[in-house]
Amino acid sequence: AWLAGESWKVEAFRAYDRGVGPDLYLVTAAEILGVDVKTLNKKSPERQAYGKVPELACGYQGGVGAFQTMAHTYRITIEDELAQRIVKAWRAKHPNVTQFWWDLEEAAFEAVINPGSVTTVRDVKFKVVGSFLWCQLPSGRALCYAYPAIAWKEMPWTDDDGKPVRKQVVSYRGVNSYTRKWETIYTYGGKLAENITQAVARDVLADAIVRIEAAGYPVVMHVHDEVICEVPDDFGSVEEFEALMVELPPWAAGLPVAAEAWS
């Protein structure tokens, strides 16, 4: 939401972090259903079907298939027709996120067919140098895609006549996360958005790790979004640790970040 400029959602995160707003699954469910969020609560069945599942399934361009996979995970049974309506409603409520997918896909495509030129989508930049497509993140760090090319690929949908749809997409060489083999991988806007989002999350955490170690909290382990430090009993405080964790680097200005610590 922050990368794409989906301001209403960024504000919803901020309100929740301040303890004055509902959780994001309730916000999404209310937006999709067109009801007052106050009519829903954490026990409302709509929170899962219209909130949690679409939030987890739709953010990176997931369609009915992704929705149903996530619904199955949370033991929710929904007909494909309703799932399709929820997916469309989620996208309608997230126009900037949806545009972010299309813009990233187009920018990567243009960068591949015009090696050496820079294409930009908000704070993200693409450029092909040598045998690599580089994606520069807001932090200045870059993701790297080896041997980028433009390839024809059959899409997982059909046209109005029921015929298969083929389109040109960006491909690169990498390790398939399922087969663990080196092969050609095809990408698209939603997948690029996922790569960028997770990389930015890593950069936020890495920045915090450097900052807390400089303050005297030696890191002994970190997992995903969590950091573990070992310090003397009489050193520091939970409050100081939390404050250090949520301090933002200049490149992440405006990004909602919250932390909860314990000792």
Side-chain angles (χ1 to χ4, degrees):
W2 174 76
L3 282 163
E6 201 68 78
S7 57
W8 71 265
K9 195 156 200 175
V10 173
E11 289 304 320
F13 275 110
R14 289 199 184 104
Y16 178 74
D17 291 341
R18 292 196 305 270
V20 297
D23 75 64
L24 269 292
Y25 297 148
L26 290 175
V27 172
T28 296
E31 287 284 337
I32 289 177
L33 291 168
V35 301
D36 188 330
V37 70
K38 294 179 181 178
T39 64
L40 306 174
N41 59 59
K42 288 195 173 183
K43 293 184 179 180
S44 301
E46 294 89 349
R47 179 180 182 272
Q48 295 290 87
Y50 292 87
K52 189 169 188 175
V53 171
E55 274 299 290
L56 298 178
C58 298
Y60 302 132
Q61 208 175 335
V64 173
F67 185 99
Q68 293 292 36
T69 297
M70 195 65 67
H72 178 74
T73 299
Y74 289 97
R75 299 191 175 119
I76 295 172
T77 301
I78 288 181
E79 296 294 327
D80 283 352
E81 184 178 349
L82 176 55
Q84 180 67 53
R85 292 206 301 270
I86 294 175
V87 169
K88 286 185 176 180
W90 189 96
R91 293 183 180 185
K93 291 296 181 181
H94 296 77
N96 292 311
V97 171
T98 303
Q99 190 63 48
F100 191 54
W101 303 335
W102 312 139
D103 291 346
L104 288 174
E105 186 169 321
E106 181 179 357
F109 191 100
E110 290 296 319
V112 172
I113 63 176
N114 296 291
S117 65
V118 176
T119 56
T120 303
V121 180
R122 294 178 61 82
D123 292 330
V124 177
K125 296 179 180 178
F126 293 92
K127 183 179 181 179
V128 170
V129 179
S131 299
F132 300 95
L133 169 63
W134 299 90
C135 173
Q136 187 180 59
L137 304 166
S139 65
R141 186 169 70 93
L143 300 179
C144 180
Y145 300 89
Y147 305 111
I150 302 299
W152 284 97
K153 187 176 187 300
E154 187 170 312
M155 298 293 102
W157 62 81
T158 58
D159 62 20
D160 294 338
D161 296 323
K163 296 180 180 178
V165 175
R166 296 177 76 245
K167 64 178 285 190
Q168 287 184 305
V169 300
V170 173
S171 70
Y172 60 94
R173 298 287 288 176
V175 177
N176 184 303
S177 59
Y178 295 101
T179 65
R180 303 297 179 184
K181 293 181 179 180
W182 180 262
E183 58 187 60
T184 297
I185 297 174
Y186 303 94
T187 194
Y188 54 94
K191 186 174 180 180
L192 291 168
E194 186 275 343
N195 292 171
I196 293 164
T197 301
Q198 300 305 324
V200 166
R202 175 267 172 204
D203 287 350
V204 171
L205 183 69
D207 188 85
I209 287 174
V210 174
R211 186 165 52 251
I212 60 179
E213 287 210 318
Y217 295 84
V219 175
V220 296
M221 182 168 73
H222 61 90
V223 182
H224 300 306
D225 58 356
E226 186 170 5
V227 175
I228 301 172
C229 301
E230 286 186 354
V231 299
D233 287 340
D234 59 353
F235 177 83
S237 68
V238 167
E239 291 75 22
E240 180 185 44
F241 189 80
E242 288 178 338
L244 288 166
M245 285 294 291
V246 301
E247 186 179 323
L248 290 172
W251 60 263
L255 174 64
V257 176
E260 184 176 18
W262 57 274
S263 67

